[in-house]
Amino acid sequence: MAKQGQTSGQRHEGKSHDSKGLEGLTAAASEAVNRTPAGKGLPPVHLWNPPFCGDLDIRIAGDGTWFYMGTPIGRPALVRLFSTILKREDGKHFLVTPVEKVGIRVDDAPFLAVEMQNEAGDHGRLLRFRTNVDDWVPCDSDHRLRFEMAADGGLTPYLHVRADLWAKVTRALYYDLVDMGEERMVDGQPMFGVESGGEFFAMADAKQVRDAV
């Protein structure tokens, strides 16, 4: 199998195992998920440290679409299954089971936040986001929003989902966040941001946000 750090040309041998690797990975992932006790959430990938078995030709595009060997994976259940065994280490993304770890490519963030609910929580407003794999994530101190400058000069929000895995928030939801935003003093500076789960998530200074929108 290919070793970590090899170029695409050097991974030819690893790619010849892609079909078997994908089938084996699917079976191992299904077994791991089935062994996770009901109500215990996602498989405990943080406890698994199997050997690295090279890279699979799987890519998650910037719009959240999963590709295998250049073709979109058209089975939502399979995408959902693989999303439960995602792990990030040293800036690289992997699919991990108890018996193997394979590298994949992620263009931007592995998840996409596609829906938002505005609820009343114990600490005021609580925003909840649904990802493209149907996970609901509360926006709070454990699941923070961060904002990065986009290529067009605007801002792109990202929501922390779990264990250094992030969801890019869609542009439409970004505008909803701006609509409910407010100005507050942060470290002596007036900042524009949004409150959720008792936390204030600053986007930028008010003028910068107005210019971006």
Side-chain angles (χ1 to χ4, degrees):
M1 297 295 287
K3 294 184 179 180
Q4 201 166 7
Q6 288 181 315
T7 64
S8 58
Q10 294 172 309
R11 286 201 305 263
H12 179 74
E13 181 180 353
K15 286 192 175 184
S16 69
H17 288 75
D18 268 358
S19 179
K20 181 185 293 185
L22 186 67
E23 294 172 2
L25 182 67
T26 301
S30 298
E31 182 179 356
V33 170
N34 290 337
R35 287 184 177 181
T36 302
K40 295 297 184 181
L42 298 170
V45 295
H46 61 288
L47 300 178
W48 301 339
N49 190 29
F52 177 67
C53 299
D55 294 330
L56 269 182
D57 191 1
I58 291 179
R59 177 175 71 93
I60 305 177
D63 65 356
T65 302
W66 287 58
F67 290 85
Y68 173 59
M69 299 185 70
T71 301
I73 298 177
R75 294 169 54 195
L78 185 58
V79 170
R80 166 67 187 175
L81 173 65
F82 286 158
S83 76
T84 65
I85 58 169
L86 264 174
K87 189 176 185 180
R88 188 179 184 189
E89 294 177 341
D90 300 324
K92 184 172 173 60
H93 292 84
F94 301 90
L95 298 178
V96 183
T97 74
V99 296
E100 66 178 323
K101 177 171 73 173
V102 297
I104 66 171
R105 290 176 291 154
V106 178
D107 289 355
D108 191 345
F111 301 114
L112 195 68
V114 297
E115 182 181 346
M116 179 175 66
Q117 291 183 349
N118 185 354
E119 303 176 357
D122 295 336
H123 302 284
R125 173 193 293 134
L126 178 64
L127 300 176
R128 293 184 182 274
F129 291 85
R130 182 176 65 84
T131 71
N132 58 313
V133 292
D134 287 329
D135 285 324
W136 281 97
V137 183
C139 178
D140 54 23
S141 58
D142 293 326
H143 307 90
R144 305 185 67 83
L145 278 171
R146 78 173 200 265
F147 297 84
E148 294 188 0
M149 292 298 300
D152 61 2
L155 292 171
T156 300
Y158 293 86
L159 176 72
H160 181 230
V161 176
R162 63 179 184 272
D164 204 23
L165 298 174
W166 294 78
K168 180 169 67 175
V169 179
T170 63
R171 196 66 171 171
L173 294 185
Y174 165 63
Y175 288 123
D176 290 340
L177 291 172
V178 171
D179 286 342
M180 66 179 64
E182 58 185 292
E183 188 174 325
R184 292 189 184 182
M185 296 297 293
V186 178
D187 296 329
Q189 288 188 310
M191 302 293 291
F192 187 87
V194 63
E195 179 186 3
S196 178
E199 297 282 330
F200 182 73
F201 301 101
M203 300 182 189
D205 63 82
K207 182 179 184 302
Q208 182 180 357
V209 173
R210 286 195 296 270
D211 292 343
V213 176

